[in-house]
Amino acid sequence: MKFYLCNQKLRTCLGYIFLFLVVFIFFLMLYIMDMLEIKVNTTFIIPRPATVTPPADLHYDFCKLKPLSTNEALEEQRLLESIAWPETPSLQSPLSLSSTSHPAHSAFTILPRWGGGQWHIGDKLEVMIQMHDFQGHLKRSGGDVLLARLHNLTLGAGVAGQVLDHLNGSYSAIFTLLWEGSAQVQVILVHPSEAVTELQRLNTEHPDRIFFKSQFHLGSVTETTTCNVCLRPTQQPVCNYTDLRTNEPWFCYKPKNLSCDTRISNFNGGYKQKISSMEKLFQRGVNLKVAIPASGADSVNVLSKQDGQSEVASSSVGSGPSGYYFQGVWRGLGVTPVHQFNSSSAITQCLKGKMVHMYGDSTMRQWFEYLDAAIPDLKAFNVHSQKTIGPLMSLDYKNNILVTYRTHGPPLRSVSVPAIELHYIANELDEVTGGRDTVIVLGIWAHFGTFPIEFFIRRLQTIRRAIVRLLSRAPDTLIVIRTGNPKGLKAFLHASTNSDWYSLQQDKVLRDMFKELNVHLVDAWEMVVAHHLPHQLHPQPPIIKNMINVLLSYICPRKGQ
């Protein structure tokens, strides 16, 4: 009997011990799995399917921008302050143009040379611009968007001027005199200040005025929904396509019968109508990109440089022009002289042994197409992609030249493109080995105008971090960034989606953000402003040729310079 009780107690003890071991092992496995998961998540980036955001009645922001670190937030605030536009007038509805800026009633005046006497190369020419309204009254506030250039069509010469807003209806345009002979002033009113008020409102209240679509497909079922970074809240669930590596946001309304993982394409969905009652502020030939007349002479005669006068040079933003045209050729005033690559053999020799990777929008694709046409042995490799979107690849096997192009990730106003081809520039740069024979060329701006400028700032911050990583592992990599440029604006639709004011703000942000890095700028903004050809989204061939010469001069600087 005693033996039986002892045996029973032993079995009970063993049972408790077994149970304890099972529980211990279970929690040990959970701990190990947790540690392994942490290790995986911090070492590798594992793709996962798109998630579904809850309906809007729970909570959903209209424009869901990526979060920022403390330093990035401080930088963003500084950038916003640096591009802050002068206060513009409030608008009444119905709109009356009577008190708005009117270029035909306004005028510019060339001020006498400081110290008197004749004009010489190297002098600064100052022009005073006085704005009036439709009633002929003086304007008393600033905020108008003005472009100014000095040119001589016979000499094929031109230079952009720096416009200063005195916040009282008057402006100064400052020019550097850079050639001998006649120099004619041209001042253009891009937008009256009242139009800027409306442009600001549109980006605040209607950042989704250009919207995008995605097609979802599985088996015999196909659905299409609206996509954007600024997606208005509804009762419909939202597919979250935020990029796992860059944290760049992108969303689509979830299709009714398909999952988020069945998305196959992305394309431009259209433009929202009836979003403004202020179209009269954007009239071609009236107050949209109209020349302002001169009060008195509109040109000066420039003599040769005086003895002892220093050479004209400018290498810092804001101190003067980055270059000028003479005889149709762009002459840089920066550290790197611009050389002419006028033959296919000269371009081939410069790019021999190089890999040139271009990323950006269609204005960057122009450069790819130029090189593709200029180098006889550069042959396109058919990757079965759309010509307007890419990816594109051309190879000169004989001279070991590779040129590629890939469009940037969303937002992208385009024809239908496979969703899998929407790559973010930062992710692409992280896949580049880099080195002395690698050239990276970037151009990103045109598709961001309708969004809050904070969205553009954050995209550039993402790209900049990738550039820093690339230069850290391969310091000899050459990186060239093409700025934005003024465009042809013919009506409200063009101005409200592609305004030069949006591009000007982006241009200021881009220059500031990359000024501390070892990167080179191609100043497309000044190269278009200074040229006599009409402004277009895609600059005309003579301007593109000069841009390519600047690019090639960075790649192949002459020895000793």
Side-chain angles (χ1 to χ4, degrees):
M1 182 69 177
K2 290 182 179 180
F3 175 80
Y4 172 79
L5 290 175
C6 182
N7 190 37
Q8 186 179 30
K9 290 181 179 179
L10 179 61
R11 287 198 300 268
T12 302
C13 292
L14 289 175
Y16 282 129
I17 293 172
F18 178 77
L19 180 61
F20 173 79
L21 288 174
V22 169
V23 173
F24 175 79
I25 292 171
F26 174 76
F27 281 103
L28 180 62
M29 290 178 65
L30 286 178
Y31 175 78
I32 293 172
M33 290 173 66
D34 184 62
M35 292 300 294
L36 287 174
E37 182 180 353
I38 292 173
K39 184 177 181 180
V40 169
N41 287 340
T42 55
T43 306
F44 303 99
I45 298 171
I46 303 176
R48 64 170 183 256
T51 57
V52 178
T53 302
D57 57 346
L58 296 180
H59 178 69
Y60 188 73
D61 295 330
F62 180 25
C63 281
K64 199 170 183 65
L65 304 181
K66 62 183 296 186
L68 296 178
S69 66
T70 301
N71 288 338
E72 289 172 334
L74 289 173
E75 179 185 47
E76 181 180 84
Q77 183 59 37
R78 179 184 63 78
L79 288 169
L80 293 175
E81 292 173 357
S82 71
I83 64 172
W85 202 254
E87 185 176 353
T88 56
S90 58
L91 300 175
Q92 302 296 324
S93 184
L95 173 69
S96 171
L97 292 180
S98 60
S99 61
T100 66
S101 302
H102 186 27
H105 288 159
S106 304
F108 71 82
T109 304
I110 297 177
L111 301 183
R113 182 177 184 269
W114 185 82
Q118 296 176 308
W119 298 99
H120 293 268
I121 291 177
D123 285 342
K124 296 288 187 180
L125 177 71
E126 182 175 357
V127 172
M128 183 61 66
I129 306 161
Q130 182 62 61
M131 300 302 299
H132 292 70
D133 62 23
F134 274 71
Q135 301 178 83
H137 299 151
L138 286 172
K139 291 292 294 287
R140 299 299 183 185
S141 59
D144 297 298
V145 184
L146 300 170
L147 296 178
R149 74 182 178 107
L150 201 63
H151 66 104
N152 183 317
L153 290 178
T154 302
L155 295 176
V159 65
Q162 181 182 16
V163 178
L164 305 176
D165 189 344
H166 300 297
L167 306 179
N168 59 4
S170 66
Y171 303 78
S172 294
I174 311 297
F175 302 93
T176 304
L177 300 180
L178 295 163
W179 62 83
E180 189 175 349
S182 175
Q184 183 177 1
V185 175
Q186 182 184 50
V187 178
I188 296 175
L189 174 68
V190 179
H191 295 302
S193 57
E194 294 80 8
V196 175
T197 302
E198 181 64 358
L199 292 172
Q200 290 175 324
R201 185 192 71 83
L202 289 172
N203 268 21
T204 301
E205 299 180 11
H206 298 280
D208 59 340
R209 58 191 179 278
I210 286 184
F211 56 94
F212 306 86
K213 297 279 190 179
S214 272
Q215 190 177 78
F216 298 77
H217 179 78
L218 181 65
S220 60
V221 180
T222 299
E223 294 185 64
T224 300
T225 70
T226 299
C227 305
N228 216 320
V229 68
C230 297
L231 207 55
R232 292 185 183 269
T234 67
Q235 295 300 314
Q236 191 173 354
V238 173
C239 294
N240 182 358
Y241 297 104
T242 298
D243 185 71
L244 294 178
R245 295 170 65 179
T246 64
N247 212 21
E248 293 291 345
W250 194 250
F251 309 96
C252 297
Y253 292 125
K254 183 185 178 301
K256 293 180 180 179
N257 302 309
L258 295 175
S259 71
C260 296
D261 297 330
T262 60
R263 177 173 174 246
I264 62 171
S265 66
N266 181 86
F267 55 94
N268 190 15
Y271 177 80
K272 289 189 175 181
Q273 305 294 326
K274 299 180 180 179
I275 58 173
S276 176
S277 60
M278 306 294 167
E279 289 90 344
K280 288 192 294 185
L281 290 169
F282 305 90
Q283 297 181 71
R284 184 180 184 182
V286 178
N287 51 15
L288 178 62
K289 278 214 165 181
V290 179
I292 293 174
S295 174
D298 66 353
S299 63
V300 297
N301 187 54
V302 184
L303 304 178
S304 59
K305 185 170 53 180
Q306 291 179 304
D307 293 339
Q309 193 171 1
S310 60
E311 291 291 333
V312 178
S314 171
S315 58
S316 60
V317 176
S319 64
S322 62
Y324 67 103
Y325 289 104
F326 189 74
Q327 296 179 344
V329 172
W330 181 258
R331 300 186 175 188
L333 294 173
V335 176
T336 303
V338 179
H339 307 297
Q340 302 307 302
F341 296 81
N342 294 323
S343 65
S344 58
S345 59
I347 299 175
T348 299
Q349 187 60 36
C350 175
L351 296 182
K352 193 170 185 178
K354 301 290 185 184
M355 292 186 294
V356 183
H357 299 299
M358 299 182 176
Y359 306 98
D361 52 34
S362 58
T363 59
M364 181 51 53
R365 191 188 70 240
Q366 278 187 287
W367 290 17
F368 176 91
E369 293 169 345
Y370 182 95
L371 292 178
D372 197 45
I375 303 176
D377 292 324
L378 195 63
K379 305 299 181 184
F381 183 84
N382 186 4
V383 294
H384 303 288
S385 61
Q386 294 184 17
K387 182 180 178 181
T388 56
I389 301 299
L392 305 175
M393 178 186 299
S394 289
L395 176 65
D396 180 346
Y397 184 79
K398 176 183 176 182
N399 293 289
N400 194 28
I401 300 172
L402 175 67
V403 183
T404 68
Y405 164 79
R406 180 180 282 279
T407 189
H408 62 70
L412 189 67
R413 308 172 197 171
S414 70
V415 296
S416 182
V417 56
I420 199 171
E421 291 291 1
L422 295 175
H423 294 199
Y424 289 99
I425 290 177
N427 290 339
E428 290 295 302
L429 295 181
D430 283 338
E431 302 299 324
V432 174
T433 303
R436 62 187 301 272
D437 293 323
T438 300
V439 181
I440 302 295
V441 190
L442 307 177
I444 177 170
W445 58 284
H447 296 259
F448 290 78
T450 56
F451 296 96
I453 190 66
E454 290 90 340
F455 183 43
F456 184 66
I457 289 173
R458 295 171 193 215
R459 180 64 60 88
L460 291 187
Q461 287 175 329
T462 302
I463 293 172
R464 186 180 60 187
R465 285 196 299 271
I467 289 176
V468 170
R469 291 191 293 268
L470 173 56
L471 291 177
S472 294
R473 65 179 178 270
D476 292 338
T477 307
L478 178 66
I479 298 175
V480 180
I481 301 177
R482 177 203 189 280
T483 73
N485 58 261
K487 301 172 289 297
L489 306 176
K490 300 179 180 179
F492 171 71
L493 176 61
H494 304 103
S496 63
T497 56
N498 291 308
S499 170
D500 288 348
W501 181 72
Y502 294 140
S503 302
L504 180 59
Q505 299 290 81
Q506 293 170 339
D507 186 75
K508 293 176 181 178
V509 166
L510 183 144
R511 292 170 189 269
D512 188 291
M513 190 168 291
F514 289 98
K515 65 184 179 183
E516 302 294 335
L517 290 186
N518 183 24
V519 301
H520 302 275
L521 290 185
V522 175
D523 197 336
W525 184 268
E526 284 197 18
M527 294 182 77
V528 170
V529 171
H531 206 280
H532 67 85
L533 287 172
H535 299 171
Q536 294 182 359
L537 171 61
H538 300 108
Q540 297 186 49
I543 302 177
I544 295 298
K545 181 182 185 301
N546 279 287
M547 290 179 180
I548 294 296
N549 281 335
V550 177
L551 169 65
L552 295 175
S553 296
Y554 286 136
I555 299 173
C556 303
R558 291 183 181 173
K559 294 181 179 179
Q561 294 181 330

